[in-house]
RNA sequence: GGAGAAAUGGCAGAGCGGUUGAAUGCACUGGUCUUGAAAACCAGCAUACCGAAAGGUAUCGGGGGUUCGAAUCCCUCUUUCUCCGCCA
């Protein structure tokens, strides 16, 4: 949610920037400004009425103390009209405030100035490509066949237990999953992140805070009896830890990491693109989150990118980094870099991480501020997060790229966690 | 699940119908003193909104109500603690 002050002061600028996201905001912004003006006028009137009635009440108190009952009764009579007025104004106020938030919530975050124009993933800009693509023999297999061949995972079990898109890992497959999670978490902790184990369900307020509600309700599993949502990413509970908090400037940056199961409904496409582990309803991910001083957030974004890049290098996976264009960047993000690994068995790039700076878009919803030491005022923090990393596609790429006639070669860094060099 | 108690500023903790946005202590910030520090003393120290400012309004777990007036009374929800039951 963009701060109302920004829209009030720089309406045209906001409209122009949102056009990069192919979002025509002119009508909404005009309405917001109208309602904002109306709201402020209303508040001035309301405050005046309340001030008068407060004054009267005090006078009545004094009169009673002095024993002037008759005068007190007269004053009491005067408050009746004021009360009616304030009730009316308060109702109007609530109504207009409701409309304002409903409108504000419709606006996406304004993209950073380096975000390229574009409509689809074709317009994303490759900013780095690193690592060597393996040369596989002609009989190389895609990961879904490798998973079956080596007895690592079953979609059929998941299908029986739950439904499609719920993979069941077992044996070395389960171990590989555990190894990757441990490896990613250890790296995050080494990089200064504090490890969290968050709840896997969140309430409405949390889902709203990070921007899943109201617009992306359909992508989350909803536990209706308790009105809770299964998290689509650990970003949601972890970032919400600082909801409604005023942090000390010296406490920034807050670096938090967490592993969780992630649940995504993602109704939609079928076929080759979603085969095997390419897209599933439940998967594991390690997420890194930072809550930072607004002047530092782009530095931190780079820092987080390098962290993710170092993980991929350590796993020896060829990857590329894309700066997402206006049409592909998410609603809440100001700047997003996607990481894709090359999956040789499918001969395609798979998205494994997404690192974003949300600037004040989330913190304005979350009401997460810090006290500026210089000015003594409260300011909104910037929030950032990134996957470090999502497991299924990493596993897909690892299996495909490291396949040999003898089995799947385990990357060096995972061997201590796996307790073996090869999956055969 | 049953019974009881509680929820106040960064923390501790008063207030239990009238000038209380809230005593007091601690913490914190600035100053005086000091060679420096400590101690002592003085001052400041919640958030949001409206307003050019002066100032005003709202907020004492959330929501609703009684009243001219609510931190204080009533209803309701939530959370925490104690006791009992059940259970990984």
């Amino acid at each position: 949610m963009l701060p109302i002050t920004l829209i009030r002061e720089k309406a045209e600028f906001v409209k122009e920037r949102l056009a990069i996201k192919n979002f025509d905001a002119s009508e909404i912004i005009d309405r917001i400004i109208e309602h904002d003006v109306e709201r402020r006028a209303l508040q001035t009137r309301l405050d005046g009425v309340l001030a008068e009635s407060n004054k009267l009440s005090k006078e009545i108190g004094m009169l009673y103390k002095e024993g002037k009952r008759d005068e007190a009764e007269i004053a009491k009579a005067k408050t009746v009209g004021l009360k009616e007025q304030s009730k009316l104004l308060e109702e109007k106020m609530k109504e207009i405030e409701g409309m304002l938030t409903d409108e504000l919530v419709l606006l996406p975050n304004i993209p950073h100035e380096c975000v390229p124009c574009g409509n689809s993933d074709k317009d994303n800009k490759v900013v780095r490509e690193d690592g060597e693509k393996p040369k596989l023999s002609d009989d190389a297999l895609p990961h879904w066949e490798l998973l079956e061949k080596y007895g690592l995972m079953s979609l059929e079990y998941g299908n029986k237990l739950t439904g499609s898109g719920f993979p069941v890992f077992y044996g070395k497959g389960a171990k590989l999953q555990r190894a990757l999670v441990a490896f990613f978490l250890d790296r995050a902790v080494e990089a200064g992140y504090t490890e969290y184990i968050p709840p896997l369900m969140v309430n409405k307020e949390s889902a709203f805070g990070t921007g899943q509600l109201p617009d992306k309700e359909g992508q989350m599993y909803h536990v209706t009896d308790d009105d809770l949502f299964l998290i689509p990413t650990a970003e949601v509970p972890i970032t919400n830890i600082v909801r409604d908090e005023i942090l000390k400037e010296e406490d920034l940056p807050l670096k938090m990491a967490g592993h969780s199961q992630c649940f995504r409904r993602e109704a939609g496409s079928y076929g080759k693109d979603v085969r095997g582990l390419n897209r599933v309803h439940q998967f594991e991910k390690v997420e890194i989150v930072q809550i930072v001083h607004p002047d530092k957030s782009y530095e931190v974004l780079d820092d987080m990118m390098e962290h993710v890049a170092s993980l991929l290098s350590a796993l020896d996976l060829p990857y590329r980094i894309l700066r997402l264009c206006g049409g592909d960047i998410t609603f809440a993000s100001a700047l997003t870099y996607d990481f894709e690994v090359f999956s040789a068995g499918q001969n395609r790039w798979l998205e494994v991480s997404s690192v974003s700076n949300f600037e004040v878009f989330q913190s304005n919803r979350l009401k997460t501020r810090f006290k500026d030491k210089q000015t003594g005022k409260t300011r909104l923090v910037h929030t950032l997060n990134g996957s470090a990393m999502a497991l299924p596609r990493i596993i897909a790429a690892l299996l495909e790229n490291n396949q040999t006639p003898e089995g799947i070669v385990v990357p060096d860094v995972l061997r201590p966690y796996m307790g073996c060099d090869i999956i055969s």
Side-chain angles (χ1 to χ4, degrees):
Chain A
M1 192 160 75
L2 294 171
I4 182 79
T5 45
L6 177 75
I7 295 168
R8 198 185 291 157
E9 284 159 22
K10 296 183 181 175
E12 289 312 308
F13 167 78
V14 174
K15 285 180 192 173
E16 275 167 37
R17 297 303 305 163
L18 288 184
I20 307 280
K21 279 197 174 177
N22 306 320
F23 188 92
D24 181 7
S26 19
E27 210 182 298
I28 299 176
I29 287 186
D30 290 347
R31 243 183 301 147
I32 287 174
I33 287 173
E34 239 171 74
H35 286 147
D36 181 48
V37 168
E38 212 176 316
R39 200 209 101 233
R40 283 146 73 197
L42 216 53
Q43 165 128 39
T44 307
R45 268 171 68 198
L46 212 206
D47 284 359
V49 173
L50 288 174
E52 206 175 318
S53 116
N54 283 345
K55 211 174 106 199
L56 265 174
S57 290
K58 276 180 193 169
E59 279 169 20
I60 291 167
M62 296 282 268
L63 290 171
Y64 270 119
K65 244 182 200 171
E66 292 164 13
K68 298 176 183 166
R69 290 195 168 261
D70 297 346
E71 285 178 50
E73 290 303 325
I74 293 167
K76 262 195 207 179
K78 281 196 224 164
T79 61
V80 178
L82 290 176
K83 221 184 165 185
E84 274 168 19
Q85 266 188 65
S86 68
K87 208 164 196 175
L88 222 94
L89 289 171
E90 247 159 35
E91 268 166 36
K92 260 194 194 163
M93 193 70 173
K94 253 187 201 167
E95 192 189 324
I96 212 145
E97 273 175 346
M99 289 198 291
L100 250 179
T101 10
D102 287 352
E103 285 155 5
L104 281 170
V105 145
L106 294 175
L107 293 180
N109 199 0
I110 48 179
H112 186 263
E113 52 196 26
C114 75
V115 170
C117 291
N119 295 312
S120 72
D121 54 2
K122 299 212 171 39
D123 300 310
N124 296 335
K125 196 174 164 226
V126 178
V127 295
R128 186 192 302 176
E129 195 165 331
D130 202 9
E132 218 162 295
K133 294 182 187 175
K135 291 185 187 69
L136 300 181
S137 58
D138 294 341
D139 56 356
L141 301 173
H143 70 272
W144 50 88
E145 290 186 28
L146 293 165
L147 285 161
E148 197 176 323
K149 180 176 172 189
Y150 293 106
L152 305 174
M153 185 273 279
S154 164
L155 280 173
E156 275 166 48
Y157 291 165
N159 207 15
K160 174 160 76 176
L161 303 177
T162 310
S164 77
F166 290 89
V168 175
F169 287 88
Y170 61 95
K172 285 274 193 254
K175 184 95 185 252
L176 177 60
Q177 186 114 225
R178 190 148 55 86
L180 281 163
V181 169
F183 169 66
F184 291 146
L185 279 173
D186 285 351
R187 283 297 178 99
V189 171
E190 275 166 36
Y193 292 87
T194 303
E195 183 177 343
Y196 285 80
I197 300 178
L200 301 184
M201 289 192 260
V202 294
N203 56 29
K204 269 191 275 188
E205 289 74 20
S206 296
F208 176 82
T210 32
Q212 277 67 37
L213 290 181
D215 28 301
K216 287 189 253 168
E217 177 151 17
Q219 287 187 27
M220 286 186 294
Y221 289 96
H222 188 188
V223 182
T224 49
D225 275 354
D226 300 286
D227 203 13
L228 296 173
F229 296 89
L230 263 61
I231 58 170
T233 156
E235 162 203 343
V236 178
I238 290 178
T239 312
N240 269 280
I241 288 171
V242 294
R243 192 176 76 220
D244 283 320
E245 300 278 347
I246 298 176
L247 305 163
K248 290 190 193 131
E249 188 171 347
E250 58 264 34
D251 290 341
L252 302 177
L254 246 48
K255 299 174 80 174
M256 305 183 275
H259 156 243
S260 83
Q261 300 285 348
C262 303
F263 303 91
R264 304 214 174 156
R265 291 186 67 219
E266 326 228 34
S269 59
Y270 293 90
K272 190 163 154 250
D273 283 359
V274 299
R275 270 198 90 168
L277 294 176
N278 288 346
R279 194 183 295 177
V280 287
H281 288 310
Q282 179 184 332
F283 61 94
E284 296 197 63
K285 181 158 64 70
V286 173
E287 185 80 359
I288 51 177
V289 172
Q290 290 210 42
I291 311 295
V292 308
H293 191 287
D295 298 346
K296 303 266 172 65
S297 64
Y298 281 95
E299 243 170 77
V300 170
L301 182 66
D302 286 343
D303 186 68
M304 289 170 79
M305 279 173 67
E306 290 312 323
H307 179 75
V308 174
S310 78
L311 298 176
L312 291 170
S313 300
L315 291 171
D316 217 6
L317 289 169
Y319 69 92
R320 63 180 190 182
I321 305 176
L322 306 170
R323 183 184 293 144
L324 296 193
C325 72
D328 211 24
I329 195 168
T330 59
F331 188 79
S333 173
L335 179 58
T336 296
Y337 290 99
D338 268 9
F339 282 71
E340 295 183 335
V341 296
F342 188 74
S343 212
Q346 300 175 75
N347 195 32
R348 61 185 281 228
W349 294 95
L350 298 175
E351 183 195 333
V352 289
S353 173
S354 191
V355 184
S356 303
N357 186 355
F358 300 95
E359 298 193 4
V360 298
F361 194 83
Q362 288 183 330
S363 61
N364 187 42
R365 291 174 163 224
L366 294 160
K367 304 251 176 320
T368 304
R369 296 91 92 209
F370 71 99
K371 194 143 223 165
D372 191 311
K373 279 218 147 183
Q374 294 255 305
T375 62
K377 297 212 165 140
T378 56
R379 287 175 70 185
L380 292 169
V381 298
H382 281 193
T383 63
L384 303 98
N385 70 50
S387 358
M389 324 259 297
L391 290 231
R393 294 174 190 162
I394 289 284
I395 290 175
L398 276 179
L399 297 182
E400 291 180 16
N401 294 7
N402 294 8
Q403 58 184 306
T404 66
E406 290 74 40
I408 312 285
V409 177
V410 175
D412 287 347
V413 290
L414 289 184
R415 289 181 187 177
Y417 296 99
M418 281 296 286
C420 66
D421 303 349
I422 196 160
I423 298 169
S424 52

